[in-house]
Amino acid sequence: MIKYITKSPTETRKLAEVLIKKFLKYNTEKAIIIALEGELGAGKTTFVKGLAKALKIKAKVKSPTFTLIKSHKLQATSYKFLYHLDCYRIKDHRDLTILGIKEILNDPKNIVIIEWSDRVKKILPKNHIKIHIDHINKNTRKICVN
Ligand code: ADP
Ligand code: MG
């Protein structure tokens, strides 16, 4: 596990940019799956914004709280889609079945980032990257990467 401290939303976005660039280099021939944990306001969506910037996504990123999932077509990497999920409103992984979640997680062309991933632990492949964000104080966050 690696621990980081960020002292502003900008630092969290920058960290996300650095980390996704590192993950892209792993070349696992599997989907990149990032499980984001942390309370409301921890900075999960802020982290996704940095990731989206590194992937050259132009659309404005926000939590897909009501739609559960948002896909972004990727141009800048060998991956084809970024899927951004927000599981805040769901009970468990069965609520994602209708979205074809298994196919999404199994497609090596996808990058999948999941807010509130602790709710859907059961369906996460073993090789997923876990990122836990803790609120320390107003502008400080502890970010643990597993
Ligand atoms: P979540 O998606 O986890 O609910 P958001 O990213 O939507 O959280 O919100 C995080 C809030 O915390 C934002 O208002 C952001 O400006 C604020 N914030 C303050 N410091 C930080 C930091 N170091 N990293 C991320 N967000 C921070
Ligand atoms: Mg969010």
Side-chain angles (χ1 to χ4, degrees):
M1 186 176 53
I2 309 178
K3 288 182 195 164
Y4 301 90
I5 297 286
T6 66
K7 294 191 180 297
S8 67
T10 305
E11 277 189 29
T12 296
R13 285 195 299 269
K14 292 253 164 71
L15 175 64
E17 288 187 56
V18 171
L19 290 176
I20 186 64
K21 283 176 185 162
K22 189 168 101 179
F23 302 154
L24 286 168
K25 286 190 191 136
Y26 291 168
N27 272 324
T28 56
E29 292 171 8
K30 284 188 176 149
I32 296 176
I33 297 162
I34 302 168
L36 272 182
E37 300 178 354
E39 291 307 308
L40 209 60
K44 300 180 293 300
T45 303
T46 302
F47 188 94
V48 181
K49 285 179 181 166
L51 188 127
K53 184 172 177 240
L55 295 171
K56 314 253 188 273
I57 291 168
K58 295 203 179 70
K60 196 170 154 53
V61 170
K62 50 184 176 129
S63 276
T65 315
F66 294 98
T67 53
L68 291 182
I69 190 163
K70 170 89 176 111
S71 71
H72 302 271
K73 181 93 182 73
L74 298 175
Q75 318 279 359
T77 74
S78 56
Y79 292 86
K80 296 285 189 297
F81 287 97
L82 171 71
Y83 285 93
H84 176 195
L85 282 89
D86 184 330
C87 298
Y88 184 58
R89 285 177 186 277
I90 73 168
K91 217 164 58 234
D92 64 39
H93 63 97
R94 283 169 294 192
D95 293 340
L96 296 179
T97 313
I98 194 165
L99 302 171
I101 189 66
K102 292 240 167 80
E103 290 75 8
I104 290 172
L105 294 172
N106 281 327
D107 187 336
K109 297 204 158 31
N110 292 336
I111 299 173
V112 186
I113 188 154
I114 309 172
E115 296 190 40
W116 296 98
S117 59
D118 26 332
R119 311 225 162 144
V120 297
K121 265 187 192 145
K122 267 199 165 159
I123 55 159
L124 297 178
K126 279 204 192 70
N127 67 323
H128 74 272
I129 297 155
K130 191 174 96 178
I131 298 182
H132 189 100
I133 309 180
D134 277 317
H135 180 288
I136 303 296
N137 62 37
K138 190 171 178 291
N139 291 308
T140 307
R141 301 292 187 270
K142 185 174 84 178
I143 302 180
C144 298
V145 182
N146 274 302

